[in-house]
Amino acid sequence: LGRRATRLGARETAALVDLKLRETEAAMREIEEGVKDGLAPLQPLQYRVEDDAAKALDLSIEIEGVDELTEAVSAAAGARATVPTMTSRRRFRRFRAAARTTAIWRTAVGFAFRVARNRRKFSDASSSEAVAARSKLAADFRDALLRLGPTFIKFGQLLSTRVDVLPPEVIKELATLQNEVPSFSPDRAITIVKEELQIKDMSDVFATFERTPLAAASLAQVHRATLKDGGDEVVVKVQRDGLREQFDVDCANIKFLARLADRFDPENEGVASDWKGIADTSETVLYREIDFLVERDAAVKFREAFEGKNGQKAMDYVKVPRTYDPYCTSKLLVLEYVPGTKINDVENLKKLEGVDLEQLSRRLTFSYLEQLCRHGFFHCDPHPGNVAVDDQIPGGRLIYYDFGMMEYIERDVKAGFVDLVYSLYKNEPIIACDALETMGVLRPGLDRFSIERIAKNYLDSFCATVESKNAKGVTGIDEGAAKWETEMTEEEQKAARKERRGQIGKDLFATPAGR
């Protein structure tokens, strides 16, 4: 294909790749259907599959159950031609890995050509036609991530926070991955619970267990239940099957794709996207998230900090669900059931008795400043599905869910961040640069004249906008006339950026006399 691609155009190459991949998928579907039709229902014990259909395919497999066999073959939509005799699960895993890689690369190649075609077609990226084309491509990309499964759903969720890398149309579509993740079979969830707790029947531990999940996420789904001992209402977070094995294959492919993206993706306003850095971070987060014992420990630490333990300040308007440690394993997490209204569901928040939205917004801000500036341990994934509100405290109580993505802040970074926030609101550019140096953003010993001048311009603009919004009328800007960049029209944003770059250029190239 590589040699032929040098003689063919991009469109012909894409068509050829797509044809080859479709042929492999068709071949594997035939294998899958043949195996499914040839297997009679048997008990999930050790047995040997060796019937007419298997012999016709030159296939002989030892496995523990029909479901596992059919699931493995279904996932292997990609390997081509003759299937050798397989006598162990390890051979089957290799088969699935090759098939999985084929599916990933088919998707990646297809979208790479569509992105390149859009860039060639629309010279003005801000035109309405270009925006509409990006929106359509972003919606298709989101659907593709859903089809590829847990790894790519989580990768898409992480990408949805990277407004510095992706355009708004893509961010908007990827943000829906936080709520639109399909659930898996409740029967399989119950089987996993039994295996993890080593029980024969759910009634051994639970008085009730709802089959319909409360919510489904990329790595797990949550069921409501009642404990047999004590009658406490809980939620049971059950991990999806085979995540680690799938992550091994998917992360290797994602990292290779990221290296290609770093080579061919153009810089945005002079700043490289660093796709490899995003891929490395995603891999670290993914493997950490599939160990629910790590999440349990994080939930305990997070709750104790807000309860005022270990010398921290108690905040009664923040609720973190309690964990039930005897029932927690690496694939199972049992937490206190604390229902609430999503933080972005404004209409229903207004209906809650005693909830004050303005006070609630202050509490949300304070809770995060507390995490960042005092605890040094914060929630990294505060999308609306993970932050809720109830009316148990006058003004509204915040509820945090999902503690798989938590992170520590080093002491120097935490101290520098406190000074940075102070400098922002006091308009102190020298203190801001000192803080950035403490945090390790600026190297010590640099000539900071130009950097301090640039910081002063930014802080002047920031403070003037804040003052205008607060209607204090002391900045020379009409009351409420200043705008944040997100409130500007596209033309106003371009003009503001042009002016800012011009000023930065003057500061960077200031002569000694000008200084």
Side-chain angles (χ1 to χ4, degrees):
L1 286 176
R3 287 194 296 272
R4 294 189 66 180
T6 61
R7 300 193 300 271
L8 299 174
R11 183 178 300 175
E12 290 79 4
T13 303
L16 182 60
V17 171
D18 188 67
L19 175 64
K20 293 297 182 185
L21 291 170
R22 287 184 185 278
E23 287 177 359
T24 62
E25 289 185 351
M28 280 310 305
R29 275 196 296 271
E30 292 178 7
I31 295 173
E32 176 190 345
E33 290 169 3
V35 174
K36 281 184 176 178
D37 293 341
L39 291 177
L42 295 170
Q43 296 298 320
L45 302 172
Q46 284 282 0
Y47 62 89
R48 186 174 182 81
V49 179
E50 194 164 16
D51 52 29
D52 294 337
K55 289 176 181 177
L57 295 167
D58 193 21
L59 183 66
S60 181
I61 304 164
E62 288 187 10
I63 204 160
E64 288 185 357
V66 175
D67 290 340
E68 186 173 349
L69 172 62
T70 55
E71 178 186 350
V73 178
S74 298
R80 172 89 167 119
T82 305
V83 181
T85 301
M86 288 176 279
T87 58
S88 70
R89 293 186 192 177
R90 187 169 65 178
R91 295 289 294 277
F92 225 132
R93 284 199 295 269
R94 290 179 182 176
F95 191 52
R96 283 205 308 189
R100 178 71 176 169
T101 298
T102 304
I104 292 169
W105 277 92
R106 177 184 176 186
T107 303
V109 169
F111 278 99
F113 278 111
R114 289 181 63 183
V115 170
R117 183 180 60 191
N118 281 354
R119 285 179 175 168
R120 288 195 304 270
K121 186 176 181 181
F122 303 106
S123 56
D124 183 5
S126 61
S127 66
S128 58
E129 293 84 1
V131 171
R134 281 200 303 271
S135 298
K136 175 66 168 64
L137 183 60
D140 293 343
F141 183 56
R142 176 207 60 204
D143 293 340
L145 294 180
L146 285 170
R147 288 194 299 272
L148 286 174
T151 314
F152 288 87
I153 293 172
K154 175 58 70 173
F155 186 60
Q157 290 173 347
L158 294 171
L159 282 179
S160 72
T161 67
R162 295 303 300 265
V163 295
D164 58 321
V165 172
L166 298 172
E169 302 82 26
V170 180
I171 295 293
K172 180 180 177 182
E173 291 295 338
L174 293 182
T176 63
L177 291 172
Q178 296 163 355
N179 300 312
E180 299 180 5
V181 181
S183 60
F184 59 92
S185 163
D187 290 329
R188 184 56 194 152
I190 290 172
T191 299
I192 293 171
V193 172
K194 290 180 181 178
E195 290 173 353
E196 290 299 309
L197 296 180
Q198 298 181 356
I199 57 177
K200 292 184 178 180
D201 194 89
M202 295 293 281
S203 61
D204 294 344
V205 172
F206 302 102
T208 63
F209 186 92
E210 294 186 3
R211 290 177 56 85
T212 303
L214 283 175
S218 54
L219 308 182
Q221 68 187 32
V222 176
H223 293 261
R224 186 177 175 182
T226 306
L227 290 177
K228 182 177 180 181
D229 294 337
D232 291 353
E233 285 193 276
V234 297
V235 292
V236 182
K237 185 175 180 179
V238 186
Q239 188 176 120
R240 293 178 184 267
D241 269 334
L243 290 182
R244 182 171 293 277
E245 180 183 331
Q246 188 168 324
F247 285 176
D248 292 342
V249 177
D250 291 352
C251 287
N253 281 284
I254 288 173
K255 289 169 76 173
F256 187 74
L257 286 169
R259 288 197 293 273
L260 291 179
D262 278 337
R263 289 188 62 185
F264 297 110
D265 190 32
E267 293 185 351
N268 182 22
E269 295 193 23
V271 179
S273 298
D274 189 19
W275 289 101
K276 184 178 182 301
I278 295 174
D280 290 340
T281 301
S282 301
E283 182 181 30
T284 301
V285 168
L286 283 169
Y287 280 107
R288 188 171 58 191
E289 275 202 80
I290 59 175
D291 187 349
F292 284 178
L293 293 178
V294 173
E295 181 174 349
R296 178 202 63 188
D297 294 342
V300 171
K301 182 178 179 64
F302 196 61
R303 186 187 76 249
E304 290 179 347
F306 280 110
E307 288 178 350
K309 297 180 181 178
N310 303 319
Q312 303 295 346
K313 176 185 175 183
M315 302 177 78
D316 61 353
Y317 55 77
V318 176
K319 173 65 178 178
V320 179
R322 182 164 60 94
T323 59
Y324 290 81
D325 294 356
Y327 309 110
C328 296
T329 71
S330 61
K331 295 183 179 180
L332 198 70
L333 189 63
V334 180
L335 297 151
E336 176 185 7
Y337 175 59
V338 187
T341 303
K342 282 187 177 182
I343 191 74
N344 65 338
D345 189 355
V346 177
E347 292 303 315
N348 283 320
L349 288 178
K350 290 178 179 178
K351 297 176 184 178
L352 292 178
E353 186 175 351
V355 172
D356 182 334
L357 296 186
E358 187 174 335
Q359 186 176 14
L360 190 63
S361 68
R362 284 198 300 270
R363 287 178 172 178
L364 182 60
T365 304
F366 291 159
S367 75
Y368 250 87
L369 288 174
E370 195 76 12
Q371 295 173 49
L372 296 170
C373 300
R374 285 206 173 99
H375 302 170
F377 184 65
F378 67 100
H379 197 298
C380 301
D381 195 22
H383 64 74
N386 286 343
V387 185
V389 178
D390 67 18
D391 56 4
Q392 298 300 306
I393 295 291
R397 182 176 69 169
L398 295 164
I399 308 166
Y400 282 98
Y401 305 123
D402 193 350
F403 311 99
M405 290 176 63
M406 308 289 291
E407 194 57 79
Y408 290 92
I409 302 180
E410 296 175 5
R411 182 181 296 273
D412 289 345
V413 175
K414 183 170 66 173
F417 180 75
V418 172
D419 290 341
L420 182 62
V421 174
Y422 172 84
S423 69
L424 287 175
Y425 286 92
K426 293 298 183 181
N427 196 356
E428 294 283 357
I430 295 178
I431 295 178
C433 290
D434 289 341
L436 291 172
E437 195 172 289
T438 301
M439 295 171 71
V441 178
L442 293 179
R443 290 197 304 273
L446 288 176
D447 180 358
R448 288 190 356 189
F449 173 81
S450 297
I451 298 172
E452 289 173 2
R453 285 286 299 273
I454 293 169
K456 178 169 173 40
N457 290 332
Y458 273 102
L459 293 183
D460 284 347
S461 176
F462 175 78
C463 291
T465 306
V466 170
E467 293 292 345
S468 174
K469 294 293 184 184
N470 291 341
K472 293 181 179 178
V474 296
T475 61
I477 300 177
D478 293 338
E479 180 179 316
K483 296 180 180 179
W484 301 116
E485 190 162 313
T486 53
E487 298 173 320
M488 296 179 183
T489 65
E490 196 163 332
E491 291 73 20
E492 289 174 332
Q493 288 181 11
K494 287 182 179 179
R497 290 170 187 162
K498 184 177 180 180
E499 181 182 355
R500 187 162 65 236
R501 289 171 187 159
Q503 185 60 50
I504 290 173
K506 290 179 182 179
D507 292 333
L508 287 175
F509 295 103
T511 63
R515 296 188 182 193

